Amino acid sequence: MITFTYTITDPVGIHARPAGILAKEAKKYESEVIIEKTDKSANAAKLMAVMGMGIKCGDTVTVKISGSDEEQAAEKMEEFFKTNL
């Protein structure tokens, strides 16, 4: 399992559009991508679950990636977060 943390910089947080893009990115990998914020967690490939977390600008999330392609997935997901969120 590979883990990284990221503080959301998008002014409106993870709303519908970025959540959809995030889910699409997470589905590219065999590994499971889980996003955690305080007491909540969601599979990043599940759009409604991610939106239901209510992640706002300034929130710090932990991303956990585990599976057969976790190294590649972690690298690409971290890059995705820095570019889009």
Side-chain angles (χ1 to χ4, degrees), residues 27-73:
K27 288 178 184 177
K28 292 180 181 178
Y29 309 102
E30 289 183 28
S31 296
E32 182 177 54
V33 180
I34 302 294
I35 299 175
E36 296 180 345
K37 181 188 107 177
T38 56
D39 60 340
K40 295 181 181 180
S41 67
N43 184 326
K46 308 288 184 186
L47 171 64
M48 296 308 289
V50 172
M51 287 179 56
M53 292 182 68
I55 300 170
K56 297 176 176 47
C57 183
D59 287 348
T60 299
V61 296
T62 301
V63 182
K64 296 182 176 181
I65 302 160
S66 60
S68 60
D69 60 352
E70 65 186 27
E71 289 182 16
Q72 177 192 7

